[in-house]
Amino acid sequence: MRRARLTVAGLVAAALVAAGCTLPAFAPRTEGAGGAAAPGNAPTWRPCPEIPDELVGRGAAGMRYDCATIAVPRDWGSGTGATGGPGTGETFEIALLRARSTKQRDRLGSLVINPGGPGGSGVDTAVYLSFGPTFGGLPTSVTDRFDIVGFDPRGVSRSSPVKCISDVDLDASFGYDPDPADQASFDGFVALNRRIGKGCGDKYGDQLPLYGTEQAARDMDAVRAAVGDEKLTYLGYSYGTLLGATYAQLYPNRVRALVLDGAVDPQQKLIAGSESQARGFERAFDNFDRWCAANAGRCPIAPDARAAVTTAIDKAKVSPVRGADGREATSGWVFYAVISSLYTESGWQELARAIDKLAAGDPAEVFKLADAYAGRGPDGHYTNLFDANLAVNCADETEKPTLERIRQLQSQWRATYPLFGPALAVGMLGCAEWPGQRDPYPTGKAVGAPPILVVGTTGDPATPYEQTPALASMLGVGRVLTWEGEGHTAYPQTSCITDAVDAYLISLTVPRDGLRCPAR
């Protein structure tokens, strides 16, 4: 399993993609180097192509959307050894979208958004978050005071995208047995990851380290300058917390307010981070299992959801159900439907229904959930979400476990985290077989930065709660805000969390130390 860190907003975006409701490939080019605003120059904002009607119906009315691109050096000079530094003239183009309310008053500046992943589109997410609270977006108290600015990080979506994995290989990867127990099956997954790594290495060569988090954090300072803000106000979800934490270490004196929701512990290396996610997903699944047993009327696989899901995965290994499009619901697709559903508490009922329908011979709901996670469209084509995910994660990661170590951990974690452990172990093959140098991000104190709000959810599967105080402590200026809820990320899901974050963003009022918000 890949170490993807998607947010609720990111999954909403993916679900709309799977349903055929996508934003156009906008971000018109502007004047300057390579057709974009050169580093240090203000971009030329132009109205984005018309937002599709189905999105206006979800709440885009009352907002103006403008787009631009800026050019950034391919290598900011972090010592990667790659080419494309500031003096070469070689650049990446970074796509920006600015959502501005027609009711804006007493403007405070821009709120820059990153939805996580890595690989999630900040451009798409800025649109969805601008829809307002009726549609799960940001409160009007925020959109009335800030421009909402989304950017696609380098390598993602519209920003010089990385694309080096074929749809065929992505189908094979997601459909593969999540726990390839026999040696032949394990070797087959090694070969698949090796082929993917080679293909990306052949295409991008020594440019691969340039997609790492430190480079993207430096791009984010160019975004801050481009929107005209002296200091950065930022909302980062999931992987976006790592990006924000890196920014705070590089530019502590340019921070106004950072909200880091769904915290990633930057000090965890590949093995520790993978085990942490195995533990988090196992805990979240236990919570789903208990909910199912207590809500039999809403959960058709009650009273033992764990047994029902385990049986479904085991059956899919030997006799997968074929869908209407001819695709087989193999154990991998069933597994990723489970993963997808645990990102939100509302997904629990969807999972129960999907497993129940699968048992009756209908895999459509399983594919709907899994495709939303994978970024797979109805036509079988993928976004570049997981191309970018691998490129960023592997550029960041210095730990490279051997095949023997991965095989050993697969067995150990199967005993400790039976549903998710083996998949998280073999998921490390992606970076183990990834070519090229590494460019690790910094870890340490954000000396000189103001208080940074670090938000964690006790039932978070993807970024388990234990990582929240760890990130706050590492930064030295982190202040922990806790939601005693389920799913991945917290803001703006309850009034307690929303009020605390809004006061911080607008008035720079830091919540009292240790504030805990109830689930409802």
Side-chain angles (χ1 to χ4, degrees), residues 176-203:
Y176 212 90
D177 185 348
D179 182 13
D182 65 81
Q183 192 61 44
S185 183
F186 179 82
D187 290 344
F189 200 49
V190 171
L192 174 58
N193 280 275
R194 190 167 289 163
R195 182 168 72 246
I196 288 171
K198 184 179 186 304
C200 292
D202 288 348
K203 183 171 183 178

Side-chain angles (χ1 to χ4, degrees), residues 231-257:
K231 295 189 176 185
L232 178 70
T233 305
Y234 173 76
L235 171 60
Y237 291 107
S238 197
Y239 163 78
T241 69
L242 177 61
L243 189 59
T246 303
Y247 183 93
Q249 293 167 80
L250 295 173
Y251 307 105
N253 296 321
R254 298 178 190 173
V255 171
R256 177 184 176 272

Side-chain angles (χ1 to χ4, degrees), residues 470-485:
L471 175 58
S473 176
M474 186 202 79
L475 290 172
V477 294
R479 300 294 184 268
V480 172
L481 174 62
T482 301
W483 183 37
E484 295 173 336

